[in-house]
Each structure stands twice: as C-alpha cells, then as structure tokens.
Amino acid sequence: MKKQRPVYLDLSTIRFPVTAISSILHRISGVITFVVLGILLWLLGISLSSPEGFQHAAAIMDSFFVKFIVWGILTALIFHTVGGIRHMLMDFGYLAETLAIGRRSAWVTFGITIVLSILAGVLVW
C-alpha cells in the first residue's frame, strides 16, 4: 500500500497558534539577549573607564540608529523576562496548564510587552 505524502508543503499557509508564536519568540528573544550582552558590557566598560570614556559612550548612544537598536534590545529583554515569568508561574502551579490558560497568558504576555516596550522607547528617546 502506497502512503499519500504531501509533495509540496507551503509553510506560508501554516497558521501557528498564539502559544507556539509566544514560545518561538521567547527562544528568539533569549538568543538576542545572549548575543547583545557582550555589546552592552563593552559599552558599559567604556562608560565606566574614565570621564572621556563616558563622553564617548554618550556620543555612541546619541545616534538615532543606535537608539533604535537599543530599543529593540530592550524589547527583546522585556519579552523574554515577561515570557519567563509566565513559564515560571505555570511551572509553580499558579497558572493551570490548559490550552485556554496558555492562550490567555500568551496574549497577556504580548500586551504587557507592548506596554513596557512603549515605556522603554520613551526612556531611550
């Protein structure tokens, strides 16, 4: 008996549930946070080295492009933190591990991230 297998899988037609999107973004934001940690520590080291180093770091941060990147880094860090708190609440039993609660908590995670990201944008600019 010959099995019917899909010949062509169109990935653009697959709709992920909100819980899967939240999980994927949590992993991506963790990688982003890990990668940019070195850059942020380098910038902190420059700013703490001397008064001239602080002026140099302030000059680097004065660019619109750099501010936009820092805002993106902060947004990734915020999402990763809020998503991590969501996972910890589920792991400790404060949130039930049902599909309905998972969907609702994923949407709450997105909402909190948007609000905190806007506040981070106000802080950066």
Side-chain angles (χ1 to χ4, degrees):
M1 178 176 266
K2 191 174 184 180
K3 293 183 180 182
Q4 295 293 330
R5 295 183 178 253
V7 178
Y8 174 70
L9 184 60
D10 187 10
L11 295 178
S12 65
T13 60
I14 297 175
R15 292 198 57 222
F16 290 108
V18 68
T19 52
I21 294 170
S22 176
S23 177
I24 292 167
L25 288 177
H26 186 259
R27 293 166 193 256
I28 291 171
S29 66
V31 170
I32 290 170
T33 302
F34 178 75
V35 168
V36 301
L37 186 63
I39 297 168
L40 295 177
L41 287 174
W42 169 76
L43 192 59
L44 179 66
I46 288 175
S47 70
L48 294 177
S49 63
S50 65
E52 294 81 22
F54 180 80
Q55 293 299 327
H56 181 65
I60 291 173
M61 287 296 299
D62 202 29
S63 166
F64 174 79
F65 182 69
V66 173
K67 286 182 181 181
F68 185 74
I69 289 178
V70 168
W71 176 73
I73 292 168
L74 287 174
T75 300
L77 180 62
I78 289 166
F79 182 79
H80 193 73
T81 303
V82 173
I85 291 170
R86 170 183 172 247
H87 284 292
M88 284 184 8
L89 289 174
M90 290 178 130
D91 289 343
F92 291 146
Y94 293 111
L95 293 175
E97 293 187 15
T98 63
L99 184 58
I101 297 295
R103 285 181 184 151
R104 196 172 311 133
S105 64
W107 282 114
V108 168
T109 300
F110 289 135
I112 292 172
T113 300
I114 289 170
V115 169
L116 292 177
S117 177
I118 291 169
L119 291 175
V122 169
L123 177 70
V124 168
W125 277 287

mmCIF file of all heavy atoms in Angstrom, residues 66-93:
data_model
loop_
_atom_site.group_PDB
_atom_site.id
_atom_site.type_symbol
_atom_site.label_atom_id
_atom_site.label_comp_id
_atom_site.label_asym_id
_atom_site.label_seq_id
_atom_site.Cartn_x
_atom_site.Cartn_y
_atom_site.Cartn_z
ATOM 1 N N VAL A 66 21.454 53.845 16.710
ATOM 2 C CA VAL A 66 21.862 53.143 17.929
ATOM 3 C C VAL A 66 20.713 53.131 18.935
ATOM 4 O O VAL A 66 20.470 52.115 19.593
ATOM 5 C CB VAL A 66 23.129 53.780 18.531
ATOM 6 C CG1 VAL A 66 23.464 53.175 19.874
ATOM 7 C CG2 VAL A 66 24.294 53.640 17.575
ATOM 8 N N LYS A 67 19.987 54.241 19.049
ATOM 9 C CA LYS A 67 18.838 54.278 19.954
ATOM 10 C C LYS A 67 17.768 53.275 19.526
ATOM 11 O O LYS A 67 17.154 52.614 20.363
ATOM 12 C CB LYS A 67 18.239 55.677 20.003
ATOM 13 C CG LYS A 67 19.066 56.659 20.784
ATOM 14 C CD LYS A 67 18.396 58.002 20.843
ATOM 15 C CE LYS A 67 19.245 59.003 21.605
ATOM 16 N NZ LYS A 67 18.615 60.311 21.697
ATOM 17 N N PHE A 68 17.567 53.129 18.221
ATOM 18 C CA PHE A 68 16.594 52.172 17.716
ATOM 19 C C PHE A 68 17.028 50.740 18.043
ATOM 20 O O PHE A 68 16.211 49.909 18.445
ATOM 21 C CB PHE A 68 16.414 52.351 16.207
ATOM 22 C CG PHE A 68 15.348 51.480 15.625
ATOM 23 C CD1 PHE A 68 14.011 51.769 15.836
ATOM 24 C CD2 PHE A 68 15.686 50.371 14.874
ATOM 25 C CE1 PHE A 68 13.025 50.964 15.312
ATOM 26 C CE2 PHE A 68 14.708 49.560 14.346
ATOM 27 C CZ PHE A 68 13.364 49.855 14.557
ATOM 28 N N ILE A 69 18.318 50.469 17.901
ATOM 29 C CA ILE A 69 18.828 49.139 18.223
ATOM 30 C C ILE A 69 18.705 48.865 19.722
ATOM 31 O O ILE A 69 18.312 47.765 20.128
ATOM 32 C CB ILE A 69 20.279 48.980 17.730
ATOM 33 C CG1 ILE A 69 20.282 48.907 16.208
ATOM 34 C CG2 ILE A 69 20.959 47.769 18.334
ATOM 35 C CD1 ILE A 69 21.638 48.808 15.589
ATOM 36 N N VAL A 70 19.024 49.846 20.544
ATOM 37 C CA VAL A 70 18.900 49.670 21.994
ATOM 38 C C VAL A 70 17.445 49.450 22.375
ATOM 39 O O VAL A 70 17.140 48.617 23.227
ATOM 40 C CB VAL A 70 19.506 50.886 22.744
ATOM 41 C CG1 VAL A 70 19.143 50.865 24.205
ATOM 42 C CG2 VAL A 70 21.013 50.901 22.568
ATOM 43 N N TRP A 71 16.534 50.160 21.715
ATOM 44 C CA TRP A 71 15.108 49.939 21.970
ATOM 45 C C TRP A 71 14.703 48.512 21.584
ATOM 46 O O TRP A 71 13.955 47.854 22.307
ATOM 47 C CB TRP A 71 14.271 50.963 21.204
ATOM 48 C CG TRP A 71 12.816 50.739 21.339
ATOM 49 C CD1 TRP A 71 12.045 50.967 22.442
ATOM 50 C CD2 TRP A 71 11.934 50.237 20.339
ATOM 51 N NE1 TRP A 71 10.744 50.633 22.182
ATOM 52 C CE2 TRP A 71 10.653 50.182 20.900
ATOM 53 C CE3 TRP A 71 12.125 49.831 19.023
ATOM 54 C CZ2 TRP A 71 9.553 49.732 20.185
ATOM 55 C CZ3 TRP A 71 11.029 49.385 18.313
ATOM 56 C CH2 TRP A 71 9.761 49.339 18.899
ATOM 57 N N GLY A 72 15.224 48.013 20.481
ATOM 58 C CA GLY A 72 14.943 46.637 20.089
ATOM 59 C C GLY A 72 15.506 45.633 21.082
ATOM 60 O O GLY A 72 14.866 44.627 21.400
ATOM 61 N N ILE A 73 16.709 45.912 21.580
ATOM 62 C CA ILE A 73 17.318 45.038 22.587
ATOM 63 C C ILE A 73 16.476 45.037 23.855
ATOM 64 O O ILE A 73 16.219 43.978 24.452
ATOM 65 C CB ILE A 73 18.762 45.493 22.879
ATOM 66 C CG1 ILE A 73 19.656 45.246 21.667
ATOM 67 C CG2 ILE A 73 19.317 44.812 24.117
ATOM 68 C CD1 ILE A 73 21.011 45.913 21.757
ATOM 69 N N LEU A 74 16.044 46.217 24.283
ATOM 70 C CA LEU A 74 15.203 46.303 25.477
ATOM 71 C C LEU A 74 13.876 45.582 25.280
ATOM 72 O O LEU A 74 13.369 44.921 26.192
ATOM 73 C CB LEU A 74 14.963 47.760 25.858
ATOM 74 C CG LEU A 74 16.148 48.499 26.457
ATOM 75 C CD1 LEU A 74 15.810 49.969 26.656
ATOM 76 C CD2 LEU A 74 16.566 47.866 27.770
ATOM 77 N N THR A 75 13.308 45.685 24.081
ATOM 78 C CA THR A 75 12.054 44.992 23.802
ATOM 79 C C THR A 75 12.249 43.479 23.870
ATOM 80 O O THR A 75 11.412 42.766 24.424
ATOM 81 C CB THR A 75 11.509 45.413 22.429
ATOM 82 O OG1 THR A 75 11.276 46.822 22.437
ATOM 83 C CG2 THR A 75 10.218 44.704 22.096
ATOM 84 N N ALA A 76 13.351 42.982 23.310
ATOM 85 C CA ALA A 76 13.633 41.545 23.389
ATOM 86 C C ALA A 76 13.831 41.110 24.834
ATOM 87 O O ALA A 76 13.324 40.057 25.252
ATOM 88 C CB ALA A 76 14.869 41.208 22.555
ATOM 89 N N LEU A 77 14.542 41.913 25.613
ATOM 90 C CA LEU A 77 14.762 41.590 27.023
ATOM 91 C C LEU A 77 13.448 41.611 27.804
ATOM 92 O O LEU A 77 13.196 40.730 28.640
ATOM 93 C CB LEU A 77 15.762 42.570 27.633
ATOM 94 C CG LEU A 77 16.111 42.364 29.100
ATOM 95 C CD1 LEU A 77 16.771 41.010 29.298
ATOM 96 C CD2 LEU A 77 17.020 43.472 29.578
ATOM 97 N N ILE A 78 12.604 42.583 27.518
ATOM 98 C CA ILE A 78 11.304 42.674 28.187
ATOM 99 C C ILE A 78 10.459 41.453 27.860
ATOM 100 O O ILE A 78 9.869 40.823 28.746
ATOM 101 C CB ILE A 78 10.581 43.981 27.791
ATOM 102 C CG1 ILE A 78 11.263 45.180 28.424
ATOM 103 C CG2 ILE A 78 9.113 43.942 28.164
ATOM 104 C CD1 ILE A 78 10.834 46.518 27.837
ATOM 105 N N PHE A 79 10.377 41.095 26.565
ATOM 106 C CA PHE A 79 9.561 39.946 26.186
ATOM 107 C C PHE A 79 10.096 38.670 26.815
ATOM 108 O O PHE A 79 9.328 37.841 27.301
ATOM 109 C CB PHE A 79 9.484 39.786 24.668
ATOM 110 C CG PHE A 79 8.611 38.639 24.267
ATOM 111 C CD1 PHE A 79 7.242 38.773 24.270
ATOM 112 C CD2 PHE A 79 9.152 37.419 23.922
ATOM 113 C CE1 PHE A 79 6.423 37.717 23.932
ATOM 114 C CE2 PHE A 79 8.350 36.349 23.582
ATOM 115 C CZ PHE A 79 6.974 36.503 23.585
ATOM 116 N N HIS A 80 11.413 38.514 26.817
ATOM 117 C CA HIS A 80 11.991 37.307 27.399
ATOM 118 C C HIS A 80 11.718 37.234 28.901
ATOM 119 O O HIS A 80 11.415 36.155 29.429
ATOM 120 C CB HIS A 80 13.493 37.259 27.127
ATOM 121 C CG HIS A 80 14.099 35.933 27.415
ATOM 122 N ND1 HIS A 80 13.903 34.834 26.614
ATOM 123 C CD2 HIS A 80 14.887 35.520 28.431
ATOM 124 C CE1 HIS A 80 14.537 33.797 27.130
ATOM 125 N NE2 HIS A 80 15.151 34.198 28.231
ATOM 126 N N THR A 81 11.795 38.358 29.573
ATOM 127 C CA THR A 81 11.526 38.382 31.010
ATOM 128 C C THR A 81 10.063 38.079 31.310
ATOM 129 O O THR A 81 9.752 37.248 32.171
ATOM 130 C CB THR A 81 11.915 39.751 31.600
ATOM 131 O OG1 THR A 81 13.293 40.002 31.317
ATOM 132 C CG2 THR A 81 11.674 39.801 33.086
ATOM 133 N N VAL A 82 9.154 38.734 30.597
ATOM 134 C CA VAL A 82 7.719 38.511 30.832
ATOM 135 C C VAL A 82 7.344 37.079 30.467
ATOM 136 O O VAL A 82 6.581 36.419 31.189
ATOM 137 C CB VAL A 82 6.875 39.542 30.050
ATOM 138 C CG1 VAL A 82 5.403 39.232 30.150
ATOM 139 C CG2 VAL A 82 7.146 40.945 30.571
ATOM 140 N N GLY A 83 7.881 36.573 29.354
ATOM 141 C CA GLY A 83 7.618 35.183 28.981
ATOM 142 C C GLY A 83 8.191 34.208 29.985
ATOM 143 O O GLY A 83 7.581 33.172 30.280
ATOM 144 N N GLY A 84 9.352 34.510 30.529
ATOM 145 C CA GLY A 84 9.945 33.660 31.552
ATOM 146 C C GLY A 84 9.120 33.643 32.823
ATOM 147 O O GLY A 84 8.951 32.590 33.453
ATOM 148 N N ILE A 85 8.591 34.799 33.202
ATOM 149 C CA ILE A 85 7.706 34.851 34.378
ATOM 150 C C ILE A 85 6.450 34.032 34.124
ATOM 151 O O ILE A 85 5.974 33.304 34.997
ATOM 152 C CB ILE A 85 7.376 36.316 34.736
ATOM 153 C CG1 ILE A 85 8.622 37.021 35.259
ATOM 154 C CG2 ILE A 85 6.240 36.395 35.748
ATOM 155 C CD1 ILE A 85 8.483 38.510 35.427
ATOM 156 N N ARG A 86 5.913 34.114 32.897
ATOM 157 C CA ARG A 86 4.739 33.314 32.522
ATOM 158 C C ARG A 86 5.035 31.826 32.676
ATOM 159 O O ARG A 86 4.239 31.078 33.253
ATOM 160 C CB ARG A 86 4.348 33.633 31.084
ATOM 161 C CG ARG A 86 3.313 32.723 30.513
ATOM 162 C CD ARG A 86 3.043 33.074 29.036
ATOM 163 N NE ARG A 86 2.192 32.097 28.443
ATOM 164 C CZ ARG A 86 2.562 31.262 27.477
ATOM 165 N NH1 ARG A 86 3.778 31.321 26.987
ATOM 166 N NH2 ARG A 86 1.721 30.393 26.985
ATOM 167 N N HIS A 87 6.194 31.392 32.174
ATOM 168 C CA HIS A 87 6.554 29.979 32.279
ATOM 169 C C HIS A 87 6.765 29.566 33.735
ATOM 170 O O HIS A 87 6.365 28.463 34.129
ATOM 171 C CB HIS A 87 7.811 29.684 31.461
ATOM 172 C CG HIS A 87 7.563 29.609 29.999
ATOM 173 N ND1 HIS A 87 6.826 28.612 29.417
ATOM 174 C CD2 HIS A 87 7.956 30.410 28.989
ATOM 175 C CE1 HIS A 87 6.774 28.798 28.111
ATOM 176 N NE2 HIS A 87 7.444 29.896 27.832
ATOM 177 N N MET A 88 7.374 30.436 34.535
ATOM 178 C CA MET A 88 7.578 30.102 35.947
ATOM 179 C C MET A 88 6.255 29.993 36.691
ATOM 180 O O MET A 88 6.077 29.102 37.528
ATOM 181 C CB MET A 88 8.485 31.136 36.610
ATOM 182 C CG MET A 88 9.922 30.945 36.239
ATOM 183 S SD MET A 88 11.147 32.024 37.032
ATOM 184 C CE MET A 88 10.321 32.906 38.255
ATOM 185 N N LEU A 89 5.311 30.889 36.381
ATOM 186 C CA LEU A 89 4.004 30.798 37.024
ATOM 187 C C LEU A 89 3.305 29.493 36.669
ATOM 188 O O LEU A 89 2.625 28.884 37.509
ATOM 189 C CB LEU A 89 3.130 31.997 36.631
ATOM 190 C CG LEU A 89 3.533 33.347 37.214
ATOM 191 C CD1 LEU A 89 2.674 34.458 36.626
ATOM 192 C CD2 LEU A 89 3.422 33.327 38.723
ATOM 193 N N MET A 90 3.469 29.042 35.439
ATOM 194 C CA MET A 90 2.887 27.759 35.050
ATOM 195 C C MET A 90 3.621 26.595 35.719
ATOM 196 O O MET A 90 2.991 25.639 36.182
ATOM 197 C CB MET A 90 2.903 27.594 33.533
ATOM 198 C CG MET A 90 1.943 28.491 32.815
ATOM 199 S SD MET A 90 2.064 28.292 31.050
ATOM 200 C CE MET A 90 0.353 28.059 30.649
ATOM 201 N N ASP A 91 4.938 26.668 35.776
ATOM 202 C CA ASP A 91 5.714 25.584 36.376
ATOM 203 C C ASP A 91 5.450 25.441 37.870
ATOM 204 O O ASP A 91 5.438 24.330 38.397
ATOM 205 C CB ASP A 91 7.204 25.806 36.146
ATOM 206 C CG ASP A 91 7.618 25.590 34.707
ATOM 207 O OD1 ASP A 91 6.833 24.969 33.960
ATOM 208 O OD2 ASP A 91 8.714 26.048 34.319
ATOM 209 N N PHE A 92 5.244 26.559 38.558
ATOM 210 C CA PHE A 92 4.988 26.513 40.003
ATOM 211 C C PHE A 92 3.538 26.245 40.337
ATOM 212 O O PHE A 92 3.173 26.168 41.506
ATOM 213 C CB PHE A 92 5.439 27.809 40.674
ATOM 214 C CG PHE A 92 6.936 27.981 40.698
ATOM 215 C CD1 PHE A 92 7.490 29.240 40.586
ATOM 216 C CD2 PHE A 92 7.789 26.904 40.831
ATOM 217 C CE1 PHE A 92 8.866 29.417 40.613
ATOM 218 C CE2 PHE A 92 9.155 27.064 40.851
ATOM 219 C CZ PHE A 92 9.703 28.327 40.750
ATOM 220 N N GLY A 93 2.683 26.136 39.329
ATOM 221 C CA GLY A 93 1.291 25.778 39.560
ATOM 222 C C GLY A 93 0.362 26.940 39.812
ATOM 223 O O GLY A 93 -0.798 26.732 40.172
#
